[in-house]
Amino acid sequence: MENAHTQDVIECPYEKHHQILRSRMQVHLTRCRKNHPNEKKVTCPFNVTHILNEPELEFHVSSCPERTSFEHFRSSVEVPICRTVPPPMPQCQSEENWDDENVPSYNPQAYAANADVLRSIQGAPPSQRKAFRKQERLRLLGIDNN
């Protein structure tokens, strides 16, 4: 009498000597497929672990055990109505028009130069970086350099 473990083992479609647990077959197929790039195999539309030779696909699709669950699902789901005209878009009326407002653009460098934040300079030579750090220390301490 076979135990449950040997009943769950199935054969790899790429390598007949690969005996894989049914629960691990999808992972195995992903790896094994890479080792056999020239194989002319196709995938069943009902179950991705069903890998077949191209001529066998039509027969398999007609007798695939997963097809019954697909047919049951298809018959239980309502088919959506196909519309040729999109649904109407809601019209939102507002008295605001942001294009008419005259607001200055935001300049983050100008803001940071006047705020109590620590700035740094990137890409400058060491002498300029040293001078910038000194100027920043004076600015943050509130000492006027002029």
Side-chain angles (χ1 to χ4, degrees), residues 37-71:
N38 297 328
E39 293 276 337
K40 300 287 186 201
K41 301 281 187 180
V42 291
T43 306
C44 171
F46 305 115
N47 187 336
V48 294
T49 63
H50 295 173
I51 306 294
L52 313 148
N53 295 322
E54 285 184 48
E56 300 169 352
L57 181 64
E58 188 175 339
F59 175 75
H60 174 80
V61 166
S62 64
S63 62
C64 180
E66 303 293 327
R67 182 185 180 106
T68 56
S69 60
F70 172 75
E71 293 293 337

mmCIF file of all heavy atoms in Angstrom, residues 37-71:
data_model
loop_
_atom_site.group_PDB
_atom_site.id
_atom_site.type_symbol
_atom_site.label_atom_id
_atom_site.label_comp_id
_atom_site.label_asym_id
_atom_site.label_seq_id
_atom_site.Cartn_x
_atom_site.Cartn_y
_atom_site.Cartn_z
ATOM 1 N N PRO A 37 15.610 25.288 -22.867
ATOM 2 C CA PRO A 37 15.026 26.401 -23.639
ATOM 3 C C PRO A 37 14.550 26.006 -25.032
ATOM 4 O O PRO A 37 13.693 26.673 -25.607
ATOM 5 C CB PRO A 37 16.165 27.417 -23.721
ATOM 6 C CG PRO A 37 17.402 26.607 -23.581
ATOM 7 C CD PRO A 37 17.044 25.449 -22.686
ATOM 8 N N ASN A 38 15.046 24.897 -25.579
ATOM 9 C CA ASN A 38 14.682 24.514 -26.949
ATOM 10 C C ASN A 38 13.513 23.547 -27.017
ATOM 11 O O ASN A 38 13.108 23.137 -28.103
ATOM 12 C CB ASN A 38 15.903 23.906 -27.655
ATOM 13 C CG ASN A 38 17.021 24.921 -27.790
ATOM 14 O OD1 ASN A 38 16.778 26.106 -27.931
ATOM 15 N ND2 ASN A 38 18.252 24.443 -27.713
ATOM 16 N N GLU A 39 12.981 23.159 -25.873
ATOM 17 C CA GLU A 39 11.838 22.240 -25.847
ATOM 18 C C GLU A 39 10.597 22.940 -26.392
ATOM 19 O O GLU A 39 10.298 24.066 -26.025
ATOM 20 C CB GLU A 39 11.562 21.753 -24.422
ATOM 21 C CG GLU A 39 12.630 20.878 -23.849
ATOM 22 C CD GLU A 39 12.481 19.430 -24.256
ATOM 23 O OE1 GLU A 39 11.370 19.006 -24.600
ATOM 24 O OE2 GLU A 39 13.495 18.722 -24.216
ATOM 25 N N LYS A 40 9.861 22.280 -27.253
ATOM 26 C CA LYS A 40 8.622 22.824 -27.815
ATOM 27 C C LYS A 40 7.449 22.379 -26.939
ATOM 28 O O LYS A 40 6.699 21.482 -27.272
ATOM 29 C CB LYS A 40 8.413 22.325 -29.257
ATOM 30 C CG LYS A 40 9.508 22.719 -30.199
ATOM 31 C CD LYS A 40 9.422 24.189 -30.516
ATOM 32 C CE LYS A 40 10.443 24.519 -31.585
ATOM 33 N NZ LYS A 40 10.787 25.880 -31.646
ATOM 34 N N LYS A 41 7.332 23.023 -25.789
ATOM 35 C CA LYS A 41 6.273 22.683 -24.833
ATOM 36 C C LYS A 41 5.302 23.849 -24.723
ATOM 37 O O LYS A 41 5.675 25.010 -24.880
ATOM 38 C CB LYS A 41 6.858 22.401 -23.445
ATOM 39 C CG LYS A 41 7.859 21.267 -23.388
ATOM 40 C CD LYS A 41 7.170 19.943 -23.371
ATOM 41 C CE LYS A 41 8.200 18.832 -23.136
ATOM 42 N NZ LYS A 41 7.571 17.535 -23.106
ATOM 43 N N VAL A 42 4.037 23.528 -24.445
ATOM 44 C CA VAL A 42 3.003 24.543 -24.246
ATOM 45 C C VAL A 42 2.343 24.285 -22.889
ATOM 46 O O VAL A 42 2.403 23.188 -22.347
ATOM 47 C CB VAL A 42 1.948 24.517 -25.378
ATOM 48 C CG1 VAL A 42 2.538 24.993 -26.681
ATOM 49 C CG2 VAL A 42 1.349 23.143 -25.533
ATOM 50 N N THR A 43 1.701 25.320 -22.385
ATOM 51 C CA THR A 43 1.071 25.257 -21.068
ATOM 52 C C THR A 43 -0.439 25.133 -21.223
ATOM 53 O O THR A 43 -1.044 25.804 -22.050
ATOM 54 C CB THR A 43 1.405 26.521 -20.270
ATOM 55 O OG1 THR A 43 2.821 26.668 -20.248
ATOM 56 C CG2 THR A 43 0.884 26.453 -18.860
ATOM 57 N N CYS A 44 -1.034 24.314 -20.400
ATOM 58 C CA CYS A 44 -2.484 24.158 -20.374
ATOM 59 C C CYS A 44 -3.122 25.467 -19.908
ATOM 60 O O CYS A 44 -2.654 26.074 -18.939
ATOM 61 C CB CYS A 44 -2.849 23.027 -19.417
ATOM 62 S SG CYS A 44 -4.612 22.870 -19.087
ATOM 63 N N PRO A 45 -4.197 25.927 -20.558
ATOM 64 C CA PRO A 45 -4.832 27.172 -20.125
ATOM 65 C C PRO A 45 -5.567 27.057 -18.788
ATOM 66 O O PRO A 45 -5.901 28.069 -18.183
ATOM 67 C CB PRO A 45 -5.806 27.492 -21.253
ATOM 68 C CG PRO A 45 -6.030 26.220 -21.959
ATOM 69 C CD PRO A 45 -4.811 25.383 -21.766
ATOM 70 N N PHE A 46 -5.784 25.826 -18.305
ATOM 71 C CA PHE A 46 -6.524 25.630 -17.063
ATOM 72 C C PHE A 46 -5.627 25.386 -15.852
ATOM 73 O O PHE A 46 -6.039 25.597 -14.723
ATOM 74 C CB PHE A 46 -7.496 24.460 -17.207
ATOM 75 C CG PHE A 46 -8.415 24.611 -18.381
ATOM 76 C CD1 PHE A 46 -8.345 23.719 -19.434
ATOM 77 C CD2 PHE A 46 -9.324 25.649 -18.445
ATOM 78 C CE1 PHE A 46 -9.184 23.855 -20.520
ATOM 79 C CE2 PHE A 46 -10.160 25.797 -19.526
ATOM 80 C CZ PHE A 46 -10.089 24.897 -20.578
ATOM 81 N N ASN A 47 -4.385 24.927 -16.082
ATOM 82 C CA ASN A 47 -3.472 24.638 -14.977
ATOM 83 C C ASN A 47 -2.042 24.811 -15.486
ATOM 84 O O ASN A 47 -1.620 24.109 -16.400
ATOM 85 C CB ASN A 47 -3.684 23.209 -14.470
ATOM 86 C CG ASN A 47 -2.893 22.921 -13.220
ATOM 87 O OD1 ASN A 47 -1.876 23.546 -12.942
ATOM 88 N ND2 ASN A 47 -3.357 21.939 -12.456
ATOM 89 N N VAL A 48 -1.301 25.731 -14.880
ATOM 90 C CA VAL A 48 0.049 26.045 -15.356
ATOM 91 C C VAL A 48 1.043 24.921 -15.110
ATOM 92 O O VAL A 48 2.121 24.920 -15.693
ATOM 93 C CB VAL A 48 0.581 27.361 -14.734
ATOM 94 C CG1 VAL A 48 -0.216 28.538 -15.195
ATOM 95 C CG2 VAL A 48 0.634 27.263 -13.240
ATOM 96 N N THR A 49 0.699 23.954 -14.287
ATOM 97 C CA THR A 49 1.609 22.835 -14.075
ATOM 98 C C THR A 49 1.426 21.743 -15.121
ATOM 99 O O THR A 49 2.191 20.789 -15.136
ATOM 100 C CB THR A 49 1.440 22.244 -12.663
ATOM 101 O OG1 THR A 49 0.123 21.730 -12.532
ATOM 102 C CG2 THR A 49 1.721 23.286 -11.598
ATOM 103 N N HIS A 50 0.441 21.883 -15.979
ATOM 104 C CA HIS A 50 0.253 20.925 -17.076
ATOM 105 C C HIS A 50 1.053 21.430 -18.278
ATOM 106 O O HIS A 50 0.625 22.332 -18.995
ATOM 107 C CB HIS A 50 -1.213 20.800 -17.457
ATOM 108 C CG HIS A 50 -2.073 20.219 -16.380
ATOM 109 N ND1 HIS A 50 -3.438 20.163 -16.485
ATOM 110 C CD2 HIS A 50 -1.765 19.658 -15.178
ATOM 111 C CE1 HIS A 50 -3.938 19.607 -15.389
ATOM 112 N NE2 HIS A 50 -2.934 19.299 -14.576
ATOM 113 N N ILE A 51 2.217 20.827 -18.500
ATOM 114 C CA ILE A 51 3.091 21.191 -19.611
ATOM 115 C C ILE A 51 3.047 20.040 -20.615
ATOM 116 O O ILE A 51 3.286 18.890 -20.251
ATOM 117 C CB ILE A 51 4.544 21.423 -19.139
ATOM 118 C CG1 ILE A 51 4.585 22.432 -18.004
ATOM 119 C CG2 ILE A 51 5.431 21.838 -20.284
ATOM 120 C CD1 ILE A 51 4.176 23.825 -18.377
ATOM 121 N N LEU A 52 2.769 20.380 -21.879
ATOM 122 C CA LEU A 52 2.565 19.345 -22.893
ATOM 123 C C LEU A 52 3.330 19.658 -24.169
ATOM 124 O O LEU A 52 3.730 20.796 -24.399
ATOM 125 C CB LEU A 52 1.066 19.267 -23.248
ATOM 126 C CG LEU A 52 0.098 19.228 -22.090
ATOM 127 C CD1 LEU A 52 -1.180 19.907 -22.455
ATOM 128 C CD2 LEU A 52 -0.137 17.797 -21.714
ATOM 129 N N ASN A 53 3.452 18.634 -25.017
ATOM 130 C CA ASN A 53 3.953 18.865 -26.370
ATOM 131 C C ASN A 53 2.848 19.536 -27.167
ATOM 132 O O ASN A 53 1.655 19.313 -26.923
ATOM 133 C CB ASN A 53 4.350 17.549 -27.026
ATOM 134 C CG ASN A 53 5.519 16.902 -26.320
ATOM 135 O OD1 ASN A 53 6.432 17.592 -25.877
ATOM 136 N ND2 ASN A 53 5.477 15.586 -26.181
ATOM 137 N N GLU A 54 3.204 20.367 -28.129
ATOM 138 C CA GLU A 54 2.206 21.134 -28.885
ATOM 139 C C GLU A 54 1.101 20.275 -29.495
ATOM 140 O O GLU A 54 -0.070 20.630 -29.403
ATOM 141 C CB GLU A 54 2.899 21.973 -29.964
ATOM 142 C CG GLU A 54 3.604 23.182 -29.397
ATOM 143 C CD GLU A 54 4.197 24.061 -30.478
ATOM 144 O OE1 GLU A 54 3.485 24.372 -31.452
ATOM 145 O OE2 GLU A 54 5.374 24.427 -30.342
ATOM 146 N N PRO A 55 1.413 19.143 -30.140
ATOM 147 C CA PRO A 55 0.330 18.350 -30.752
ATOM 148 C C PRO A 55 -0.676 17.784 -29.745
ATOM 149 O O PRO A 55 -1.818 17.497 -30.091
ATOM 150 C CB PRO A 55 1.066 17.210 -31.466
ATOM 151 C CG PRO A 55 2.481 17.638 -31.584
ATOM 152 C CD PRO A 55 2.730 18.597 -30.466
ATOM 153 N N GLU A 56 -0.268 17.622 -28.497
ATOM 154 C CA GLU A 56 -1.140 17.028 -27.479
ATOM 155 C C GLU A 56 -2.087 18.033 -26.831
ATOM 156 O O GLU A 56 -3.005 17.647 -26.111
ATOM 157 C CB GLU A 56 -0.288 16.388 -26.379
ATOM 158 C CG GLU A 56 0.629 15.294 -26.864
ATOM 159 C CD GLU A 56 1.638 14.879 -25.817
ATOM 160 O OE1 GLU A 56 1.720 15.543 -24.767
ATOM 161 O OE2 GLU A 56 2.355 13.900 -26.058
ATOM 162 N N LEU A 57 -1.888 19.325 -27.064
ATOM 163 C CA LEU A 57 -2.653 20.348 -26.349
ATOM 164 C C LEU A 57 -4.151 20.264 -26.609
ATOM 165 O O LEU A 57 -4.946 20.314 -25.675
ATOM 166 C CB LEU A 57 -2.135 21.748 -26.702
ATOM 167 C CG LEU A 57 -2.848 22.889 -25.993
ATOM 168 C CD1 LEU A 57 -2.628 22.811 -24.491
ATOM 169 C CD2 LEU A 57 -2.383 24.217 -26.531
ATOM 170 N N GLU A 58 -4.550 20.137 -27.847
ATOM 171 C CA GLU A 58 -5.991 20.141 -28.167
ATOM 172 C C GLU A 58 -6.726 19.003 -27.457
ATOM 173 O O GLU A 58 -7.788 19.211 -26.860
ATOM 174 C CB GLU A 58 -6.188 20.031 -29.682
ATOM 175 C CG GLU A 58 -7.625 20.220 -30.096
ATOM 176 C CD GLU A 58 -7.762 20.224 -31.603
ATOM 177 O OE1 GLU A 58 -6.788 20.476 -32.316
ATOM 178 O OE2 GLU A 58 -8.888 19.959 -32.057
ATOM 179 N N PHE A 59 -6.146 17.803 -27.484
ATOM 180 C CA PHE A 59 -6.781 16.681 -26.795
ATOM 181 C C PHE A 59 -6.809 16.927 -25.282
ATOM 182 O O PHE A 59 -7.802 16.675 -24.624
ATOM 183 C CB PHE A 59 -6.052 15.369 -27.117
ATOM 184 C CG PHE A 59 -6.583 14.204 -26.338
ATOM 185 C CD1 PHE A 59 -7.797 13.624 -26.687
ATOM 186 C CD2 PHE A 59 -5.899 13.705 -25.238
ATOM 187 C CE1 PHE A 59 -8.302 12.562 -25.951
ATOM 188 C CE2 PHE A 59 -6.391 12.653 -24.497
ATOM 189 C CZ PHE A 59 -7.598 12.076 -24.861
ATOM 190 N N HIS A 60 -5.696 17.414 -24.747
ATOM 191 C CA HIS A 60 -5.621 17.651 -23.306
ATOM 192 C C HIS A 60 -6.666 18.676 -22.856
ATOM 193 O O HIS A 60 -7.307 18.497 -21.817
ATOM 194 C CB HIS A 60 -4.218 18.131 -22.909
ATOM 195 C CG HIS A 60 -4.129 18.516 -21.473
ATOM 196 N ND1 HIS A 60 -3.982 17.586 -20.465
ATOM 197 C CD2 HIS A 60 -4.193 19.723 -20.860
ATOM 198 C CE1 HIS A 60 -3.956 18.217 -19.301
ATOM 199 N NE2 HIS A 60 -4.067 19.521 -19.514
ATOM 200 N N VAL A 61 -6.838 19.752 -23.618
ATOM 201 C CA VAL A 61 -7.803 20.794 -23.253
ATOM 202 C C VAL A 61 -9.213 20.217 -23.192
ATOM 203 O O VAL A 61 -10.006 20.563 -22.322
ATOM 204 C CB VAL A 61 -7.716 21.986 -24.241
ATOM 205 C CG1 VAL A 61 -8.899 22.920 -24.104
ATOM 206 C CG2 VAL A 61 -6.422 22.741 -24.013
ATOM 207 N N SER A 62 -9.521 19.304 -24.092
ATOM 208 C CA SER A 62 -10.872 18.727 -24.086
ATOM 209 C C SER A 62 -11.088 17.772 -22.915
ATOM 210 O O SER A 62 -12.218 17.554 -22.489
ATOM 211 C CB SER A 62 -11.145 18.004 -25.401
ATOM 212 O OG SER A 62 -10.260 16.904 -25.532
ATOM 213 N N SER A 63 -9.991 17.201 -22.362
ATOM 214 C CA SER A 63 -10.152 16.229 -21.280
ATOM 215 C C SER A 63 -9.456 16.628 -19.984
ATOM 216 O O SER A 63 -9.337 15.803 -19.084
ATOM 217 C CB SER A 63 -9.605 14.873 -21.743
ATOM 218 O OG SER A 63 -8.229 14.992 -22.027
ATOM 219 N N CYS A 64 -9.022 17.849 -19.862
ATOM 220 C CA CYS A 64 -8.290 18.286 -18.674
ATOM 221 C C CYS A 64 -9.191 18.243 -17.435
ATOM 222 O O CYS A 64 -10.318 18.745 -17.457
ATOM 223 C CB CYS A 64 -7.761 19.714 -18.873
ATOM 224 S SG CYS A 64 -6.846 20.337 -17.447
ATOM 225 N N PRO A 65 -8.722 17.657 -16.341
ATOM 226 C CA PRO A 65 -9.537 17.607 -15.120
ATOM 227 C C PRO A 65 -9.810 18.987 -14.529
ATOM 228 O O PRO A 65 -10.806 19.179 -13.834
ATOM 229 C CB PRO A 65 -8.707 16.764 -14.155
ATOM 230 C CG PRO A 65 -7.419 16.467 -14.808
ATOM 231 C CD PRO A 65 -7.448 16.954 -16.207
ATOM 232 N N GLU A 66 -8.948 19.945 -14.793
ATOM 233 C CA GLU A 66 -9.147 21.305 -14.279
ATOM 234 C C GLU A 66 -10.221 22.052 -15.066
ATOM 235 O O GLU A 66 -10.719 23.074 -14.617
ATOM 236 C CB GLU A 66 -7.843 22.093 -14.337
ATOM 237 C CG GLU A 66 -6.694 21.460 -13.605
ATOM 238 C CD GLU A 66 -6.896 21.426 -12.108
ATOM 239 O OE1 GLU A 66 -7.521 22.347 -11.560
ATOM 240 O OE2 GLU A 66 -6.433 20.457 -11.483
ATOM 241 N N ARG A 67 -10.583 21.561 -16.222
ATOM 242 C CA ARG A 67 -11.579 22.233 -17.055
ATOM 243 C C ARG A 67 -12.942 22.280 -16.365
ATOM 244 O O ARG A 67 -13.664 23.266 -16.488
ATOM 245 C CB ARG A 67 -11.694 21.530 -18.408
ATOM 246 C CG ARG A 67 -12.665 22.194 -19.342
ATOM 247 C CD ARG A 67 -12.844 21.385 -20.621
ATOM 248 N NE ARG A 67 -13.783 22.050 -21.477
ATOM 249 C CZ ARG A 67 -13.452 22.698 -22.572
ATOM 250 N NH1 ARG A 67 -12.198 22.764 -22.940
ATOM 251 N NH2 ARG A 67 -14.375 23.275 -23.300
ATOM 252 N N THR A 68 -13.267 21.247 -15.619
ATOM 253 C CA THR A 68 -14.581 21.226 -14.962
ATOM 254 C C THR A 68 -14.717 22.357 -13.955
ATOM 255 O O THR A 68 -15.761 22.993 -13.870
ATOM 256 C CB THR A 68 -14.823 19.877 -14.270
ATOM 257 O OG1 THR A 68 -13.751 19.630 -13.362
ATOM 258 C CG2 THR A 68 -14.907 18.756 -15.283
ATOM 259 N N SER A 69 -13.652 22.628 -13.194
ATOM 260 C CA SER A 69 -13.733 23.727 -12.235
ATOM 261 C C SER A 69 -13.817 25.071 -12.952
ATOM 262 O O SER A 69 -14.512 25.981 -12.512
ATOM 263 C CB SER A 69 -12.546 23.706 -11.283
ATOM 264 O OG SER A 69 -11.339 23.840 -11.989
ATOM 265 N N PHE A 70 -13.136 25.191 -14.095
ATOM 266 C CA PHE A 70 -13.225 26.419 -14.888
ATOM 267 C C PHE A 70 -14.632 26.601 -15.441
ATOM 268 O O PHE A 70 -15.193 27.692 -15.379
ATOM 269 C CB PHE A 70 -12.209 26.389 -16.036
ATOM 270 C CG PHE A 70 -12.366 27.526 -16.993
ATOM 271 C CD1 PHE A 70 -11.946 28.804 -16.649
ATOM 272 C CD2 PHE A 70 -12.951 27.330 -18.233
ATOM 273 C CE1 PHE A 70 -12.091 29.862 -17.532
ATOM 274 C CE2 PHE A 70 -13.108 28.385 -19.115
ATOM 275 C CZ PHE A 70 -12.675 29.650 -18.756
ATOM 276 N N GLU A 71 -15.224 25.538 -15.987
ATOM 277 C CA GLU A 71 -16.587 25.613 -16.530
ATOM 278 C C GLU A 71 -17.588 25.961 -15.428
ATOM 279 O O GLU A 71 -18.506 26.742 -15.645
ATOM 280 C CB GLU A 71 -16.968 24.290 -17.203
ATOM 281 C CG GLU A 71 -16.177 23.968 -18.443
ATOM 282 C CD GLU A 71 -16.440 24.921 -19.589
ATOM 283 O OE1 GLU A 71 -17.501 25.575 -19.635
ATOM 284 O OE2 GLU A 71 -15.551 25.022 -20.453
#
